[in-house]
Amino acid sequence: MTRPTGKWHGAAFLLLGLSCLQSARFLSLSNVLVIVILLLCLSGFSAHSKLPEIWIRWSEGLFSLVRPIGAIQTFNALTLQKEPGSSNKSEQLRKLFAVLFPAVFLVVIFGWLLGAGNAVLGKWNAEFLSALFEYLSSIELPDLRHFIWWMLFAAIALILVCPPKAGFLSNKLAQTWRQFGTSTDRLRLHQWWVCLGALNLLFLLSNVTDVVFLWFSRELPTGIYHSDYVHQGVYALIATTVLSAMIMALLTQHHEVVSRNRGIRSLTFLWMLQNAILISGVYMRLWMYVDAYGYTPKRVYVALFLALVIVGYGLLGWAIYRHKNIKWLIGANLILIFSYFSVLQFVDVPKWVSRQNIDLYQAQKISYPEALFLHQIGSHSVPFLISINERPQSAEDQQNALQDLDQQMLSQAHFQRAGWRGYQLRDGLNYQVLTEFKKSKPLSQP
């Protein structure tokens, strides 16, 4: 395995170190994804430096994780094959394992099959399994999340130690991709004219509806709620993103008679403009929901996702304008998505949401939050609830805040029992505030 060099690898190792430090501040989905992706990509780049494009080498590390056959081959190479200098005893153990493992595997399979057709064997199997399950239930097993994490860690370590050969998919990605159509293919040109024209008419109808009911009239139609309107907008945006990606991918792979046709390009840019109007409508839907009920981490993530989509559309437009191929488009979007998660892992969204809602509550623009919101912001509920207790809108809100702080005490006890493995600096600081509050003031009254 060659040693990775260059500025990209140095930047990747630097980001990996920062991401590991960030996991001690507070762990998030973005943080876990960045760490796992960096480990896999670095392993793929190290093992497959002969592949032409850099992004294909990096993607090979991701492909290796989803190739169970490659993992089995790696395990076989590490356990069954004799290596130079190995002792006869180790060779005998390898042969013994190679002989016994198939036999044990077949006995288990056929024992289950025969037990299903033989009442006596079935009874014995049931008694054996019952005793086995009773024994296993008496053993204190680790948390399932920890088990999954360590299994993933073991899989990554196996790939780093003994990476598999380049897979079929990465070899195909490294080849030159065939273009669609020829210089005399007028049928495809007409197909694109009709498809883009129909899409523009469809999105025009959707955008006119948004302008009428959303831009000029802030009142929703009867029977439509804010949450439904926001969610419908997000679903439409996701469908639009997939549709646009498919269309752009196909368009960039066509012959110049289609991809560089002035009319086709004009219709495509018009369609992208209509998508921008659709995104603006989704932003307005989201703002209406926030204006009515306040911020939540999920609503902020939706807004960030919309921003990601806007940049993605910019890449799509640039690919058409500069006649980029599908490989460039895929690589650019992969870099965009990875950069998005890399930056997001350092942003404490629940903390920002908590501070914003404190201001909104003190201004009496939102009411006392639901339990689901407190669950989403986690330990940041502590300063949020303390602020409500100090300046409540009503006596009932003050009592509810004290009761919810009682629940946070249970979360603090669970946090303390988790020990160093589950320690998060963010939670530790918030629960320290709760400890100081408990010393200065009694909690809820019966």
Side-chain angles (χ1 to χ4, degrees), residues 372-422:
L372 179 61
F373 167 75
L374 298 177
H375 176 73
Q376 289 184 23
I377 64 175
S379 63
H380 289 304
S381 300
V382 172
F384 184 75
L385 294 171
I386 290 177
S387 68
I388 294 180
N389 174 74
E390 293 174 349
R391 296 179 57 187
Q393 294 181 6
S394 64
E396 181 182 1
D397 283 1
Q398 186 177 39
Q399 187 64 24
N400 289 334
L402 292 174
Q403 291 176 356
D404 286 331
L405 282 170
D406 281 338
Q407 296 297 321
Q408 290 300 317
M409 290 174 57
L410 299 177
S411 300
Q412 181 185 20
H414 178 75
F415 170 77
Q416 293 173 344
R417 288 195 302 269
W420 64 270
R421 291 175 299 176

Side-chain angles (χ1 to χ4, degrees), residues 57-101:
R57 302 181 212 166
W58 285 68
S59 62
E60 176 58 33
L62 300 178
F63 299 151
S64 63
L65 188 63
V66 294
R67 292 209 303 267
I69 296 179
I72 293 175
Q73 292 175 346
T74 301
F75 180 77
N76 178 71
L78 292 176
T79 56
L80 301 183
Q81 297 180 4
K82 182 178 180 180
E83 298 179 358
S86 61
S87 63
N88 292 331
K89 185 175 181 179
S90 61
E91 177 64 18
Q92 292 174 358
L93 290 175
R94 291 189 180 93
K95 290 182 178 180
L96 180 63
F97 177 82
V99 171
L100 293 181
F101 179 76

Side-chain angles (χ1 to χ4, degrees), residues 50 85 90 100 104 132 146 167 169 174 224 241 293 382 410 412 437:
K50 294 182 179 181
S90 61
L100 293 181
V104 172
L132 179 62
H146 293 168
L169 183 57
I224 302 295
T241 305
Y293 303 105
V382 172
L410 299 177
Q412 181 185 20
F437 177 79

Side-chain angles (χ1 to χ4, degrees), residues 1 17 30 44 47 61 171 269 301 329 342-343 365 396 410:
M1 185 167 62
S30 302
N171 286 328
F269 286 125
Y301 292 138
L329 192 59
S342 298
V343 174
K365 294 183 178 180
E396 181 182 1
L410 299 177

Side-chain angles (χ1 to χ4, degrees), residues 114-130:
L114 292 174
N118 187 303
V120 176
L121 288 179
K123 180 181 179 181
W124 290 348
N125 285 343
E127 292 176 352
F128 171 75
L129 291 176
S130 177

Side-chain angles (χ1 to χ4, degrees), residues 167-398:
F168 171 81
L169 183 57
S170 60
N171 286 328
K172 286 295 182 182
L173 291 176
Q175 298 175 3
T176 301
W177 297 358
R178 183 179 62 87
Q179 285 188 330
F180 300 113
T182 62
S183 58
T184 60
D185 193 352
R186 308 297 298 179
L187 177 61
R188 293 182 183 272
L189 184 63
H190 295 156
Q191 287 175 335
W192 276 99
W193 271 95
V194 174
C195 290
L196 290 174
L199 282 172
N200 275 285
L201 290 176
L202 176 63
F203 280 88
L204 178 62
L205 177 62
S206 174
N207 288 328
V208 168
T209 305
D210 263 3
V211 170
V212 171
F213 289 103
L214 192 63
W215 292 35
F216 296 114
S217 176
R218 297 303 298 272
E219 297 294 331
L220 295 179
T222 304
I224 302 295
Y225 299 97
H226 289 93
S227 59
D228 296 333
Y229 211 37
V230 170
H231 294 160
Q232 289 175 3
V234 172
Y235 296 151
L237 179 62
I238 293 175
T240 302
T241 305
V242 175
L243 181 61
S244 65
M246 293 173 60
I247 291 177
M248 295 301 297
L250 291 175
L251 183 60
T252 55
Q253 279 303 108
H254 275 69
H255 193 271
E256 292 181 357
V257 70
V258 174
S259 62
R260 300 201 179 195
N261 182 271
R262 182 173 299 179
I264 296 297
R265 286 158 58 89
S266 299
L267 284 176
T268 303
F269 286 125
L270 177 61
W271 180 77
M272 293 183 62
L273 176 62
Q274 295 212 69
N275 277 279
I277 298 174
L278 178 63
I279 293 174
S280 301
V282 177
Y283 263 117
M284 294 188 67
R285 288 179 173 92
L286 184 61
W287 179 251
M288 291 171 63
Y289 203 55
V290 170
D291 191 47
Y293 303 105
Y295 294 89
T296 66
K298 289 185 178 180
R299 292 164 200 164
V300 174
Y301 292 138
V302 170
L304 293 174
F305 170 75
L306 294 176
L308 178 67
V309 171
I310 292 174
V311 180
Y313 275 123
L315 293 176
L316 292 174
W318 183 255
I320 288 184
Y321 180 73
R322 301 295 295 179
H323 309 293
K324 300 291 185 179
N325 59 22
I326 187 63
K327 281 190 177 182
W328 181 91
L329 192 59
I330 293 177
N333 278 277
L334 288 176
I335 294 174
L336 171 64
I337 295 174
F338 179 74
S339 301
Y340 168 81
F341 284 112
S342 298
V343 174
L344 188 59
Q345 68 172 328
F346 298 106
V347 180
D348 195 346
V349 174
K351 181 178 181 179
W352 184 86
V353 167
S354 176
R355 290 181 174 179
Q356 294 299 315
N357 279 0
I358 287 175
D359 295 336
L360 291 176
Y361 179 84
Q362 300 300 343
Q364 299 187 358
K365 294 183 178 180
I366 60 173
S367 57
Y368 192 86
E370 298 180 354
L372 179 61
F373 167 75
L374 298 177
H375 176 73
Q376 289 184 23
I377 64 175
S379 63
H380 289 304
S381 300
V382 172
F384 184 75
L385 294 171
I386 290 177
S387 68
I388 294 180
N389 174 74
E390 293 174 349
R391 296 179 57 187
Q393 294 181 6
S394 64
E396 181 182 1
D397 283 1
Q398 186 177 39

Side-chain angles (χ1 to χ4, degrees), residues 140-160:
E140 186 176 353
L141 298 176
D143 186 86
L144 179 61
R145 293 170 297 179
H146 293 168
F147 178 78
I148 294 175
W149 169 253
W150 285 112
M151 287 293 293
L152 179 62
F153 180 81
I156 296 176
L158 187 64
I159 295 170
L160 290 171

